[in-house]
Amino acid sequence: MWEELYELRYPELLRYALSSCKNPAEAEDLTQEVFVKALQNTDVLEELSPEQRRAWLYRAMKNLMCDRFRRVKLEKDYLETRMEEEAAPDPGIQEAENRL
């Protein structure tokens, strides 16, 4: 089951990931991660029909991509906040300068 599932679905899942993230390395990582999740859920997948397995893999891919996009946005927002904080003058320094 696993070899067939991998050989049959890997190329199409990779194309799906590439269409979304446009970065070949990230698409490859996401696709591999989907199959790691599949291996972790062997008991579930073995009970599914081939069409249901395909749907499961696509749902797992979609979830991983959503997690990735959320993480990237959070990291970007955090970095922007940090840069704004570092760019803002320290009120204690301004107060000391005003006393001079």
Side-chain angles (χ1 to χ4, degrees), residues 24-91:
E26 285 182 45
E28 182 80 26
D29 288 345
L30 285 167
T31 306
Q32 290 176 6
E33 213 172 319
V34 166
F35 282 95
V36 169
K37 288 202 174 292
L39 286 171
Q40 293 169 340
N41 290 281
T42 302
D43 54 332
V44 173
L45 288 171
E46 286 178 345
E47 295 178 12
L48 300 177
S49 70
E51 296 82 19
Q52 290 171 320
R53 284 187 198 124
R54 181 177 185 267
W56 190 98
L57 291 169
Y58 271 89
R59 172 58 74 181
M61 176 66 82
K62 182 179 177 185
N63 290 342
L64 287 172
M65 287 190 295
C66 288
D67 290 346
R68 179 189 153 276
F69 291 134
R70 257 185 252 133
R71 185 175 53 253
V72 167
K73 178 158 179 21
L74 284 172
E75 289 172 358
K76 180 182 174 197
D77 292 347
Y78 173 77
L79 290 175
E80 286 175 0
T81 302
R82 292 288 302 176
M83 289 174 60
E84 289 171 6
E85 289 172 357
E86 290 176 8
D90 185 346

